[in-house]
Amino acid sequence: MNKKENPKGLLAAHINHFKPRFQYVLLDDEGYVVESSDAIVKLSELENESVFDLVPFLESLKDTLQFLEISDEPLWFPRLEFPVLDAEGVFDFSFRRFKPNESEQSYIVWCIEDNTKHYDYLFQVQQERNDSMISREWLDIKNRQIIALNEEINRKNQEITDSILYAKRIQEALLPPEKNLQTRLKDSFILYKAKDIVSGDFYWLSVKPDVTLVAVVDCTGHGVPGAFMSVLGNTALNQIANVENITQPKLILEALNKDISQLLNKYVYQHQEGYEKIEDGMDVALCCIHHKERKVTFAGAKRSLCLVRKGEIMEYKGNIFPIGGFFKNDEKEFNEHSLDIENDDMLYIFSDGYADQFGGADEKKFMSLHFKKLLQRIAHLSAKEQKDALDKTIEEWRGNIPQTDDILVIGLRL
Amino acid sequence: MQQVNKKVILIGNFGVGKTSLVRRFVHQKFSDEYLTTLGVKIDKKLVELNETSVNMLIWDVAGEVSQTKVPTSYYLGAHGIIYVFDSTRPSTFQNVTDDLEYVQKLLPKAPVCLVGNKKDLVPEEDLNKIGEQLQREVDFFTSALTGENVEKMFHYIALKMIE
């Protein structure tokens, strides 16, 4: 906009809007009004009333004003936010001592400057500034709290991970090395892939003069609770087979079921849920290889045994109930299968982790049938090749999907 | 009963609740709406202490990050100082030492009361940490919202001013 287009009076209106109003009041030392211009508040009409008694601000300044000297600089009080009698607004006050010519008496000149309109604008600016600064500080505080919380979580996470990593060493020490199995059964493999650092699946081996006992155990849950269960199972199996010297799979499972049920048949206090009965258990596939008789006996608790013979696959199903769990003890009598061995027979025992792995194009489970067909297809390969093929297949199947459960497959060439 | 007039000033950072404390003490009211104080608001309340009736003239001064920015005329003739900070915002108690040193130079005889407001928003253990951090005893942790310690705090400064 150039000068010529500027509407007349705009600046004048603006100046007029923000122009302060002034009032001058002449007071004596007792606060009585001697004279007032009354532009803002009517003070000239006050009779026998001291302004010190009417305005708390002046009351609090009474002593100070009495000691004000003529030579002193005027006292200035900006932005006073209280009414002066009936006049509301934001005022600036100034005071100075004044002495008329030759007069003995001196007075206080009180100047009231009404800057309400100007300060309205200042108020808005200051309010916005303060609001934004407080919000920013709150945001900073919240951010710092979140950072501190994250650090705490990371620290605790690290502590837990370190603790579980140490537990992994203990769990690994309980598992017999693969070569122990291969000493008895040269062409055998163990594919063991824990979902977490520690596993709820474990395998167990007992080598005796005439027989070899091999078990795949899948405890309820995975990770730390699964690992606890695995320690219980491992200890109980050692006691039954190696101390009590029981080698018949059916009897081992029945003894294991009794032990685990007795150990876990309790109510324990859960923080929020109150008392809860423990219903954890384990699925087991257990086979006993009788080397002299060239036969295998098998019993299963919710797990099967697969035999691949001359390209054909046969499944020997275990019982439908697990070890422990919520089934009643007296209902559990395990069946036992007896298989005569032929040359090149390939036996497989496994947990459900392989078949339950999600993946593929549709992110579905690998499925038991698919798994058995795979076993059938690879059974002619060497144990090492089978292990690699199984590993490669499941890794390709899951792609970027996390591992669903612990995976354990044992293959035995008889 | 003897009556005395005493001017007390409330100073501290903006948004710490100085106006709310005065409002709670004088009018027994509270509003959570924050309206900044531009310059100074003045209220008065009579406090009776044993043999003396103290007419407290309370100057509620606009909050500033540093008290050096407060017009010096506001401090004139003050008998007592209440320094208020917000217990939830560390920035409001970072300058306590410097601020009080400055104010006590202006008013060497005036007693000081250090107050942490908004105590209702801070757990007790965090309040103790503030005291340790400041290396100076906090006289009161108050809540203008609930009124906790507000009356006590004003009575304390009134007593200090007449001692």
Side-chain angles (χ1 to χ4, degrees), chain A residues 287 289 296 305-308 316 339 341 345-349 410-414:
Chain A
C287 59
I289 300 148
V296 170
L305 173 144
C306 283
L307 166 67
V308 180
Y316 296 87
L339 297 76
I341 300 167
D345 276 356
M346 192 73 203
L347 284 185
Y348 299 97
I349 48 177
I410 292 182
L412 309 163
R413 174 91 62 202
L414 302 170

Side-chain angles (χ1 to χ4, degrees), chain B residues 123-139:
Chain B
E124 201 68 33
E125 62 267 27
D126 289 357
L127 294 178
N128 296 336
K129 281 183 201 159
I130 294 173
E132 289 164 17
Q133 210 176 318
L134 288 175
Q135 296 178 322
R136 181 195 169 108
E137 198 183 342
V138 179
D139 296 297

Side-chain angles (χ1 to χ4, degrees), chain A residues 53 56-57 59-64 75-82 90 119-120 122-124 126-127 129-131 133-134 137-138 141 144, chain B residues 5 7 14-15 34-44 55 57 59 62-65 71 73-74 76-77 79 88-92 121:
Chain A
D53 299 329
F57 170 82
E59 187 183 359
S60 64
L61 271 187
K62 192 174 175 182
D63 293 341
T64 308
L75 276 180
W76 183 60
F77 297 89
R79 303 184 301 280
L80 305 176
E81 298 173 66
F82 47 79
V90 184
Y119 285 140
D120 276 352
L122 188 66
F123 171 83
Q124 302 222 1
Q126 191 149 309
Q127 179 80 29
R129 183 204 68 165
N130 291 2
D131 281 343
M133 284 175 83
I134 291 169
E137 188 174 357
W138 265 108
I141 291 168
R144 278 201 297 275
Chain B
N5 286 350
K7 170 181 169 179
F14 56 81
Y34 169 55
L35 291 173
T36 186
T37 303
L38 210 52
V40 66
K41 290 171 180 163
I42 292 164
D43 255 303
K44 64 186 228 173
N55 182 28
L57 296 152
W59 284 48
E64 292 288 355
V65 176
S73 58
Y74 288 179
L76 270 178
H79 301 96
T88 69
R89 285 165 50 212
S91 72
T92 66
L121 298 176

